[in-house]
Amino acid sequence: MQANTTRGFLWSDVETRTLLNIWGEQDIQAALDGNFRNSFVYRDVSRRLGAMGFERTPEQCRVRIKSLKRQYLLAKEGNLRNNGQYHKICKFYDTMERILSNRPALDPQEFIESGAGAEEAVDGLEEDGEDAQDVYSESTGECPYPAETEVKLEYPTIPIPIPVKVTVGNNNSKSSNLPARTPKRARKRRANFPMEKLMEQFLEQSAQAEDGFYRMEEQRLQAEDRRREAEHARELHMLQMLGQMFSSISSSRPGSAATPSKTAPPARAPVFSSASLSCGLFERYYSLGSTSHRGMDDDTLSLVKNIVPPLTSKKHKGQDGRIGIIGGCQDYTGAPYFAAISALKVGADLSHVFCTKDAATVIKSYSPELIVHPVLDSPNAVEEIEKWLPRLHGLVVGPGLGREDLLLKTAKEVIEKSKARDIPIVIDADGLWLVTQQPAVIQGYQKGILTPNFMEFTRLYESLHHEPMDSSDHQRNVMQLSVAMGNLTLVLKGEQDLITDGSKVISCSVEGSGRRCGGQGDLLSGSLGVLAHWAHAASAAGTVNPSMVAAFGACSLTRQCNSQAFQRHGRSTTTTDMIQEIGTAFKKLFES
């Protein structure tokens, strides 16, 4: 079953700052100031935010901007009245001040003195004529008022008689001035309510409303995901029933051979028709090739066997592969180890790990077989790694890399240097996050291989196509994404691993198990780095794309290791248990 695509709704600081940077751009502000209908502006903001890797709807962006403006207004008014102690109410006060300092705004004093209408006044300032005008204009089809008109909330000037003051009736001027003094008395009466209490109540109500909106949206998306999963399960069930039905028809026909020979020819005709129909159905679901699913597996496995180099005493160290792993930081030390040790177990002679300084000692302690370079976060990291590239036959980018800008920038430059040397590159995990942000870093490189899981695939697909992915046809989706990436080899990991280079799709259905644990993808990427080197170095692959042959071999090996480890350990199976099975699984698949 594929992973859930439900997104969270709480805004992180990084996501909020990215939203404010986009919203504060000059063209966005100009569009908001010059149009009453601005829903298209927030659609543009949502699209730009998605390009930065944060998926938010236009409505979520609009609500978040409204909330930030409300906090900014309260903090600004609190600063004016209490010498800056309310600045902490708005975490992004400085950014909002920079954006809104050049825009016209209502007088904040009117918000404080408007009593029961305070919330409406805040909404008026929050939108700067944006949301309120949009709601009205979209419902009625016309503008509510000119953009230059200033809307103010005022109390009616009703004289309030004060018996205590009218005790001496000898000066008429005082009695005539009573209506003019009425606003002052009203302000004194409202001053009895502490400003702190008003702001507390307002912030509490705003937070409750925002939380309620997020909860409802979360429930809606969860229901949508459950619906899609149910549809997917129904489709699989129908296909299984069709397969069983055609299998039973095919198996029942040979029993009719005892009938007279005159009736034999008509009886055999439906048998071939049913079998071909069953094969066609499963071909459409599992493969776009011209052979059956099992036959394609056997043919591709034979190609993988042809690329495996023989073990002879005439070889020297390093001839069967020197693999480099770009990844490993303080928080993630297991992933680069799993990838590097898997490469050694599959058959590489040397395995290098280029990681950060604080991760090097930990990774080195896992195994003495690994060559660990603590250079990934150094000022001259690219130069340090570049001097090793002439010695490497394959590169795996992403396991344990993290998403820090400095590390991603280094990884990008290393990929460019490796492309110039025509080295096979496997990109996985956080390396795929880099590709989502900057697809051109690997786009069109024929020796590049991407290995996303369902969530990573969805993020990359929507980043390139700028539209939601239709999860009902995975084969069409993988082919479309491969073509968009310049016919790059793509491996979509899942219940059945789908492998494509944009021209055809093959499926790896080697039996695994129901156990999923962290690190299995690193085993796949490490072994794929070795097999990619072997496939491109061998001539036995023929006309088939060497990257696809290598990807099929790595997927088959990972699944076989998972199956064997599960038979031994059951539910407690871990990636370490799977790595111990690489030797026997490799021999069973490719050397038997």
Side-chain angles (χ1 to χ4, degrees), residues 96-115:
M96 297 293 295
E97 175 70 15
R98 174 177 55 80
I99 297 173
L100 297 178
S101 59
N102 295 326
R103 297 190 61 187
L106 295 177
D107 184 5
Q109 187 66 24
E110 295 177 7
F111 159 67
I112 299 171
E113 296 181 355
S114 60

Side-chain angles (χ1 to χ4, degrees), residues 271-447:
V271 173
F272 293 111
S273 177
S274 301
S276 61
L277 179 57
S278 174
C279 181
L281 282 171
F282 283 98
E283 243 176 59
R284 174 67 184 90
Y285 190 73
Y286 291 117
S287 172
L288 296 182
S290 58
T291 60
S292 68
H293 177 60
R294 185 178 297 277
M296 179 172 291
D297 279 5
D298 295 338
D299 293 341
T300 312
L301 276 176
S302 65
L303 291 176
V304 179
K305 294 179 181 179
N306 291 334
I307 69 172
V308 177
L311 296 175
T312 66
S313 58
K314 296 180 180 180
K315 289 185 177 180
H316 56 79
K317 181 178 65 177
Q319 192 170 346
D320 279 346
R322 296 183 291 269
I323 307 302
I325 311 296
I326 307 297
C329 60
Q330 183 178 12
D331 295 331
Y332 306 106
T333 57
Y337 162 74
F338 287 144
I341 201 67
S342 297
L344 284 178
K345 290 278 189 178
V346 168
D349 292 339
L350 296 172
S351 190
H352 297 258
V353 178
F354 300 90
C355 61
T356 62
K357 185 176 181 180
D358 49 9
T361 304
V362 180
I363 297 174
K364 187 67 177 177
S365 68
Y366 292 154
S367 173
E369 285 88 5
L370 305 182
I371 304 172
V372 182
H373 307 269
V375 298
L376 195 56
D377 56 348
S378 63
N380 58 339
V382 178
E383 291 77 12
E384 290 290 334
I385 299 174
E386 185 179 8
K387 68 183 182 182
W388 286 94
L389 292 182
R391 311 182 192 183
L392 299 181
H393 297 119
L395 199 68
V396 180
V397 180
L401 178 63
R403 297 182 181 180
E404 293 184 14
D405 293 339
L406 176 62
L407 301 183
L408 292 177
K409 181 181 178 182
T410 300
K412 175 186 176 183
E413 295 182 19
V414 171
I415 291 174
E416 296 290 350
K417 301 288 184 182
S418 302
K419 286 164 55 180
R421 293 186 173 274
D422 202 33
I423 299 175
I425 303 173
V426 179
I427 300 182
D428 186 38
D430 291 326
L432 294 171
W433 176 264
L434 171 63
V435 176
T436 301
Q437 306 301 314
Q438 305 178 53
V441 70
I442 196 66
Q443 197 167 25
Y445 185 59
Q446 295 306 304
K447 289 189 178 182

Side-chain angles (χ1 to χ4, degrees), residues 103-237:
R103 297 190 61 187
L106 295 177
D107 184 5
Q109 187 66 24
E110 295 177 7
F111 159 67
I112 299 171
E113 296 181 355
S114 60
E119 185 173 352
E120 291 77 2
V122 171
D123 287 341
L125 179 60
E126 287 295 313
E127 299 306 313
D128 289 337
E130 298 167 14
D131 297 328
Q133 292 174 16
D134 278 344
V135 173
Y136 184 88
S137 57
E138 289 177 5
S139 61
T140 62
E142 59 185 12
C143 289
Y145 44 78
E148 296 80 3
T149 304
E150 184 177 5
V151 180
K152 297 184 178 181
L153 298 174
E154 299 179 353
Y155 286 102
T157 56
I158 302 174
I160 301 176
I162 304 175
V164 176
K165 292 295 181 179
V166 190
T167 56
V168 180
N170 56 355
N171 53 20
N172 296 327
S173 60
K174 291 185 178 180
S175 61
S176 62
N177 289 335
L178 283 176
R181 295 177 59 187
T182 300
K184 290 186 177 181
R185 291 190 176 278
R187 283 197 295 272
K188 286 182 179 179
R189 184 177 59 182
R190 287 194 298 275
N192 293 331
F193 294 94
M195 184 60 189
E196 294 84 352
K197 186 175 181 180
L198 286 176
M199 288 202 303
E200 245 179 60
Q201 293 176 352
F202 183 75
L203 287 175
E204 183 179 355
Q205 293 173 0
S206 300
Q208 291 176 355
E210 191 171 354
D211 291 342
F213 170 77
Y214 287 151
R215 282 195 298 270
M216 292 178 61
E217 190 70 9
E218 186 81 25
Q219 292 172 1
R220 184 185 69 80
L221 284 180
Q222 288 177 354
E224 182 70 15
D225 285 342
R226 287 194 295 269
R227 183 187 64 80
R228 290 180 180 178
E229 290 176 359
E231 289 181 357
H232 183 64
R234 284 197 297 270
E235 290 175 0
L236 290 178
H237 182 63

